[in-house]
């Protein structure tokens, strides 16, 4: 083992990027890599598609519970020790997931994987922010932002390719060498400052943990199953939502009153942190919701297979890489708030372009808006992370990153749930509006029925031919109604991106904060 007494300030901060980036990429990638493999896993375990969704839900719930507790675990175990333990647990759980023989085993191992992965992202972010001087944090966050933007995009592509060419267990087995590498690099290059070392007599906040678990589990179930259950028309959704709200209130009260709480909510008194976190919540919602529905659009309406639909997201990765290069060049030349505003404008523009799609589009009509979306996401995400942490002390970073990542996860869950409802309800709304034009008194409809009937009548009797012609028109109606619902969803993303731009002017200028840190 490396010498724990070694002065972490003497370590090149760029070396700390190696283990943190490796571990963060592994964790974020696993949040989406299993999406395209769900039908294969459902078949292997002989369960329905809805039941297989617990493979994703259990992982999100488990990691969500651990994320806000990162600061407490770091005090109990020491941050480096907890980080290594998280990597080992995640890696071992990945092996077990690949070896699972039943649905029950898979869910159990995914919960273990979520517990292991929950601490990886906030600790990685905290270490990077602490190791770099304020003037260099922009470059560090550029690399970190690239990871958290690229990994969810690459997940479906890698998952689709592995599933099609090998078998689904290998989407978990690939974590094993990555996890071992991250473990070795962490032991070599990560060292705890005094405030991150193991502390004595740290008390356990059991009520806080209980309320937190109850809140997140019930909330995730409501968001995952609400759309299928017709939301608040289902009594159990109403009761579970009420239980979630009560649990959330009790958690907040317990954290405010308990001196030895799991999380320190006083961090929200920092204006930059509060506003920056709000902006990131909306951005995470737009990111995950768009990642969820664009492949769905391409598969259900354009006839793409899982791999090709995942591959269609690659221009976003190219856009994010371009943003990283641009930000590295312009980070110290422009106000970070201006860069975030420009990035959000690019996201809105890309979403509006996707909101003008039709079923006769070329591949470029998908690629360029995706590139623009990725460019905007990179230019917005990287500086907003830096801005949100600019006015915090180093010893506040672990708690701050844990809370921020928890809220971003919740934002992403809300985003994917809302967009699923937009697609379902929107398709029904547009179907109702379009069907009013399909009557026997509408000349265009009668003409189209006659044209299709003429095509079928050579092989079928007139009654059957007419019935089949109306069936074709009905399928076209459903297709166009669903297309309109997707268009509406992309336009909602654009509105959301523009709506948070005014919040940026509540942030303090990063350059002023840098001077205060260095004074």
């Amino acid at each position: 083992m490396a010498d724990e007494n070694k002065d972490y300030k003497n370590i090149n901060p760029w070396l700390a990027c190696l283990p943190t980036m490796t571990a963060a990429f592994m964790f974020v990638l696993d949040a989406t890599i299993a999406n395209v493999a769900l039908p294969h896993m459902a078949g292997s375990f002989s369960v329905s598609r809805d039941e297989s969704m617990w493979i994703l839900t259990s992982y999100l719930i488990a990691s969500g519970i651990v994320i806000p507790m990162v600061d407490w675990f770091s005090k109990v175990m020491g941050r480096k020790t907890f980080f290594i333990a998280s990597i080992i647990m995640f890696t071992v759980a990945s092996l077990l997931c690949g070896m699972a023989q039943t649905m029950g085993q898979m869910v159990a191992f995914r919960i273990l994987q979520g517990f292991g992965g929950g601490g990886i992202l906030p600790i990685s972010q905290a270490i990077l922010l602490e190791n770099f001087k304020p003037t260099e944090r922009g470059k560090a966050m550029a690399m970190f932002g690239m990871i958290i933007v690229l990994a969810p995009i690459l997940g479906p592509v890698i998952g689709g390719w592995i599933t099609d060419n090998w078998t689904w267990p290998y989407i978990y087995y690939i974590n094993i060498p990555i996890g071992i590498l991250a473990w070795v690099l962490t032991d070599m290059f990560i060292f705890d400052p005094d405030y991150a070392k193991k502390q004595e007599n740290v008390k356990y906040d059991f009520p806080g943990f209980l309320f937190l678990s109850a809140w997140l589990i019930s909330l995730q179930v409501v968001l995952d199953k609400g759309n299928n259950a017709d939301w608040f028309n289902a009594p159990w959704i109403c009761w579970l939502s009420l239980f979630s709200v009560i649990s959330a209130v009790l958690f907040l009260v317990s954290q405010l009153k308990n001196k030895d709480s799991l999380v320190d909510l006083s961090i929200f008194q920092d204006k930059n942190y509060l506003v920056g976190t709000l902006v990131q919540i909306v951005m995470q919602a737009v990111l995950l919701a768009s990642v969820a529905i664009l492949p769905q659009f391409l598969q259900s309406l354009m006839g793409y297979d899982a791999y090709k639909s995942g591959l269609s997201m690659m221009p976003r990765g190219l856009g994010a890489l371009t943003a990283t290069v641009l930000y590295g060049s312009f980070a110290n030349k422009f106000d970070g708030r201006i860069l975030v505003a420009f990035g959000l404008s690019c996201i809105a523009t890309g979403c509006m372009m996707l909101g003008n799609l039709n079923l006769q589009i070329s591949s470029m009509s998908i690629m360029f808006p995706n590139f623009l979306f990725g460019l905007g996401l990179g230019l917005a995400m990287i500086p907003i992370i830096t801005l949100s942490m600019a006015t915090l002390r180093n010893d506040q970073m672990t708690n701050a990153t844990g809370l921020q990542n928890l809220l971003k996860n919740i934002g992403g869950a809300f985003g994917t749930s809302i967009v699923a409802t937009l697609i379902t309800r929107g398709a029904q709304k547009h179907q109702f509006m379009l069907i009013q034009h399909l009557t026997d008194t509408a000349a265009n409809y009668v003409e189209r029925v006659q044209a299709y009937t003429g095509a079928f009548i050579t092989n079928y009797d007139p009654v059957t031919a007419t019935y089949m012609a109306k069936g074709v028109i009905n399928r076209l109606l459903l297709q166009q109604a669903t297309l309109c619902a997707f268009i509406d969803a992309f336009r909602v993303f654009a509105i959301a991106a523009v709506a948070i731009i005014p919040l940026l002017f509540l942030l303090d200028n990063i350059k002023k904060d840098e001077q205060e840190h260095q004074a």
Side-chain angles (χ1 to χ4, degrees):
M1 298 290 288
D3 182 10
E4 293 294 335
N5 295 320
K6 191 170 183 177
D7 186 358
Y8 77 100
K9 293 182 179 180
N10 294 329
I11 298 298
N12 187 331
W14 289 104
L15 293 177
C17 292
L18 297 176
T20 54
M21 293 299 180
T22 303
F25 182 81
M26 177 178 66
F27 169 73
V28 180
L29 183 74
D30 240 57
T32 59
I33 195 172
N35 291 18
V36 295
L38 278 184
H40 299 267
M41 287 188 268
S44 298
F45 300 135
S46 300
V47 297
S48 68
R49 170 77 182 197
D50 284 344
E51 289 175 313
S52 71
M53 288 299 294
W54 283 106
I55 297 173
L56 304 180
T57 303
S58 58
Y59 177 78
L60 295 174
I61 291 174
S63 61
I65 292 173
V66 173
I67 285 173
M69 299 175 61
V70 165
D71 189 48
W72 182 83
F73 276 118
S74 297
K75 292 176 180 177
V76 172
M77 302 172 61
R79 190 171 63 187
K80 177 180 177 178
T81 302
F82 175 57
F83 190 51
I84 291 177
S86 297
I87 293 172
I88 293 174
M89 183 182 294
F90 187 91
T91 306
V92 172
S94 297
L95 173 64
L96 294 174
C97 285
M99 298 170 61
Q101 299 296 314
T102 66
M103 184 63 180
Q105 290 178 1
M106 173 58 78
V107 171
F109 296 149
R110 283 286 277 178
I111 290 173
L112 184 64
Q113 191 183 40
F115 281 142
I120 289 176
L121 202 61
I123 291 181
S124 297
Q125 185 178 340
I127 290 173
L128 287 178
L129 287 167
E130 292 173 17
N131 277 268
F132 286 86
K133 296 178 181 179
T135 52
E136 297 178 338
R137 283 178 181 171
K139 296 179 181 179
M141 286 300 100
M143 295 183 64
F144 184 77
M146 180 180 67
I147 291 295
I148 62 176
V149 170
L150 274 179
I153 297 171
L154 292 176
V157 181
I158 298 174
W161 187 86
I162 290 176
T163 303
D164 289 342
N165 291 276
W166 296 344
T167 54
W168 66 260
Y170 284 92
I171 66 176
Y172 297 108
Y173 291 153
I174 63 170
N175 290 331
I176 298 172
I178 300 175
I180 293 173
L181 177 63
W183 175 13
V184 173
L185 292 175
T186 298
D187 188 55
M188 292 173 61
F189 300 127
I190 299 298
F191 301 93
D192 285 339
D194 291 338
Y195 53 80
K197 292 180 179 179
K198 180 179 178 180
Q199 300 180 16
E200 301 296 333
N201 301 320
V202 179
K203 295 183 179 180
Y204 180 62
D205 181 14
F206 181 76
F209 172 75
L210 183 64
F211 296 141
L212 174 67
S213 301
W215 169 37
L216 293 180
I217 292 173
S218 56
L219 176 63
Q220 191 67 50
V221 172
V222 168
L223 294 177
D224 281 352
K225 306 300 179 184
N227 185 49
N228 292 337
D230 199 19
W231 289 108
F232 297 108
N233 288 322
W236 74 271
I237 289 288
C238 296
W239 286 110
L240 194 58
S241 299
L242 178 62
F243 176 77
S244 180
V245 171
I246 293 174
S247 299
V249 172
L250 291 174
F251 173 70
L252 292 175
V253 171
S254 70
Q255 299 308 289
L256 291 172
K257 289 189 173 182
N258 190 352
K259 295 181 179 179
D260 301 303
S261 58
L262 284 177
V263 296
D264 180 11
L265 296 180
S266 65
I267 198 78
F268 287 109
Q269 294 175 358
D270 186 284
K271 183 177 64 174
N272 265 36
Y273 180 74
L274 175 61
V275 175
T277 300
L278 290 175
V279 172
Q280 289 182 68
I281 289 171
V282 177
M283 289 177 60
Q284 187 78 354
V286 171
L287 170 62
L288 294 187
S290 62
V291 167
I293 70 165
L294 186 55
Q296 183 182 342
F297 164 78
L298 295 173
Q299 291 180 56
S300 61
L301 297 180
M302 300 298 296
Y304 285 36
D305 59 27
Y307 174 65
K308 289 182 179 178
S309 64
L311 197 63
S312 69
M313 305 297 289
M314 287 301 292
R316 287 196 184 188
L318 181 59
L321 285 173
T322 304
T324 302
V325 175
L326 292 176
Y327 184 76
S329 303
F330 299 140
N332 295 323
K333 298 179 181 179
F334 292 94
D335 188 335
R337 297 170 296 184
I338 302 300
L339 290 176
V340 178
F342 180 73
L344 291 172
S345 300
C346 289
I347 292 174
T349 304
C351 289
M352 284 303 297
M353 294 176 70
L354 291 172
N356 292 314
L357 296 176
N358 57 61
L359 299 181
Q360 287 75 45
I361 56 173
S362 65
S363 58
M364 186 57 67
S365 299
I366 296 293
M367 293 172 64
F368 182 71
N370 262 329
F371 174 83
L372 199 58
F373 189 105
L375 179 68
L377 194 63
L379 288 176
M381 183 69 76
I382 299 167
I384 196 61
I385 292 175
T386 307
L387 283 166
S388 66
M389 301 291 177
T391 52
L392 300 179
R393 303 187 309 272
N394 280 357
D395 61 314
Q396 295 176 301
M397 291 297 181
T398 305
N399 176 66
T401 54
L403 276 173
Q404 191 173 86
N405 280 279
L406 168 67
L407 295 174
K408 286 166 62 178
N409 279 7
I410 293 175
F414 268 100
T416 52
S417 181
I418 290 171
V419 77
T421 303
L422 286 175
I423 299 299
T424 303
R425 301 290 175 89
Q428 294 171 351
K429 180 189 72 174
H430 287 289
Q431 182 180 347
F432 175 78
M433 295 171 62
L434 292 172
I435 204 170
Q436 298 179 50
H437 301 284
L438 305 184
T439 65
D440 291 334
T441 58
N444 290 336
Y445 173 69
V446 173
E447 180 182 346
R448 187 61 63 88
V449 170
Q450 291 175 346
Y452 285 132
T453 301
F456 289 124
I457 204 167
T458 56
N459 297 313
Y460 302 94
D461 63 83
V463 175
T464 302
T466 302
Y467 178 79
M468 294 177 68
K470 291 183 177 180
V472 171
I473 293 176
N474 183 63
R475 287 194 294 272
L476 291 174
L477 168 69
L478 296 176
Q479 188 180 57
Q480 290 297 318
T482 305
L483 172 64
C484 291
F486 278 106
I487 288 173
D488 290 345
F490 286 120
R491 291 175 178 175
V492 168
F493 298 159
I495 293 171
V498 172
I500 58 176
I501 290 178
L503 291 176
L504 302 176
F505 298 100
L506 299 176
L507 295 167
D508 291 332
N509 192 344
I510 180 66
K511 291 183 179 180
K512 176 182 176 181
D513 297 321
E514 290 174 356
Q515 293 171 356
E516 291 175 354
H517 274 288
Q518 292 174 335

